[in-house]
Structure formats: C-alpha cells, structure tokens
Amino acid sequence: YSIVIDPGHGGSDVGAVGIGGIRETKVVLDIALQVAEILKKKGLKVILTRGSEIDVDLYPRVSLANRSKVDLFVSIHANASRNKRRNVNGIETFFYSGAKGFKLASYIQDQVIKVSPGSPDRGVRKSRFYVIRWTHMPAALVETGFLTGRMDSSRLAQAAHRYKVSVAISRGILLYLKEEGGR
Ligand code: ZN
C-alpha cells in the first residue's frame, strides 16, 4: 500500500501557536516524520508533503497525492481554540465524504484517544478542509490536541507523547488497511 502523510503548515506558516509559544508546524512535522518511519518499516510506500520547515501550499499537497495515486491521504495537525482558552482540550479527526474516509478517520481517532487519557473525545467530524476535500482517495485530517489547552499542550510538548501519538496514528492507518484494503 501507499500513502501520503501531510504535516500541516510549514515554513512561514507556523499554524497554531500555543502555550509557551509551542508551534503547530514543529509538532506536526515531528509526528509526521515518525509516522512515515513506522509505516515504511511495515512495508508501506510513504510520501511526505514536506520533510522540513518549508512553505507548501495546499494545492501541491493534494496534487502530489492525486498524481501519485496513493491508497490513502492523512493530514496531521494540532488545534487552537478561539480566545486561546486553556480549558479547551481534545482530539478530533475529520473526513470529507464517503464510508471509507469516515472509517479511516474513525480508526485514527480511536487510536489517538487511547494515548491521550483525559483529553476529550471530540469525535469524527465531516469537514470541507481543502486537503481532504480534493484528494481522490480516502482521506482524513487528525487534530492531535489543542496547543492552547493546558492538558494537551503540555503533553504535545513532550517527545515521548509525540512518539505515542505517532504510533497511534500509524496503528489506525494499519488497522484501516487490514480491514478495508487499498482503494
Ligand atoms: Zn493546522
């Protein structure tokens, strides 16, 4: 199987900025690189939309996945709440359409919840985010926690937790492929 892993933001687009100045772009790149390594070791062909702090627009992320005809597309993000409320924490995973996208999002959500005890399960939600809307394969976008939330940000600041999240996302992807196969 083949997959595009998309660390959100990058370069001059730092994404969410959370407690203590923690930046989404760095958090999600670290997780994405680890997910890529884990999945490669399991025999998947993995393509990253970025492997360093560079600017990448949304369209090239989508066209890379569509041109490469990969089986799956997974975008990795971290959240910020409006007004940076520190009591807002939680995990949520988005899909755009279709039973397969929903299942992919559900498998990932379930696994990330397991490694984030106490962080609210905000569920699997439908969304029109560009990268999951225009990709031609089952696609999901996971929000690994709120960088503006006290609980989530202190965890996501720790390398050990980011590794756990990476294993969880990988496990969700592998479970999906085991149950549903490629496209
Ligand atoms: Zn983001």
Side-chain angles (χ1 to χ4, degrees):
Y1 297 121
S2 58
I3 186 166
V4 164
I5 299 292
D6 174 45
H9 313 277
S12 61
D13 170 14
V14 301
V17 178
I19 296 170
I22 187 170
R23 290 172 169 212
E24 180 181 0
T25 183
K26 291 189 71 176
V27 168
V28 300
L29 178 60
D30 182 57
I31 292 171
L33 289 171
Q34 295 188 76
V35 170
E37 280 312 304
I38 293 165
L39 294 179
K40 278 181 200 168
K41 280 185 188 146
K42 292 288 180 182
L44 270 75
K45 184 191 171 197
V46 183
I47 301 171
L48 283 156
T49 55
R50 66 181 178 97
S52 60
E53 284 305 338
I54 53 166
D55 286 66
V56 185
D57 285 337
L58 296 179
Y59 174 75
R61 298 174 198 246
V62 168
S63 65
L64 176 65
N66 289 344
R67 269 187 289 117
S68 310
K69 295 187 165 61
V70 290
D71 294 298
L72 299 176
F73 178 94
V74 174
S75 190
I76 300 172
H77 286 253
N79 244 326
S81 62
R82 242 168 255 166
N83 304 322
K84 302 199 169 187
R85 287 166 53 196
R86 293 191 175 207
N87 60 339
V88 175
N89 298 276
I91 313 300
E92 55 195 5
T93 307
F94 296 94
F95 73 108
Y96 171 62
S97 68
K100 289 193 161 194
F102 173 76
K103 281 182 184 166
L104 175 61
S106 302
Y107 279 113
I108 294 170
Q109 174 73 8
D110 289 350
Q111 294 301 319
V112 177
I113 279 292
K114 278 186 188 168
V115 298
S116 310
S119 193
D121 183 351
R122 296 168 64 94
V124 170
R125 301 176 180 204
K126 215 170 147 74
S127 140
R128 296 161 70 87
F129 287 130
Y130 187 93
V131 292
I132 55 172
R133 183 177 180 185
W134 296 107
T135 34
H136 296 160
M137 63 292 302
L141 185 152
V142 56
E143 294 278 6
T144 53
F146 279 81
L147 294 176
T148 47
R150 199 176 285 111
M151 183 192 296
D152 290 349
S153 70
S154 66
R155 266 207 288 246
L156 285 165
Q158 296 167 20
H161 179 70
R162 293 196 300 272
Y163 173 69
K164 281 187 198 171
V165 171
S166 308
V167 171
I169 293 171
S170 304
R171 193 170 286 155
I173 290 164
L174 293 166
L175 283 170
Y176 171 90
L177 287 170
K178 193 177 161 198
E179 297 298 322
E180 305 295 324
R183 52 183 200 156

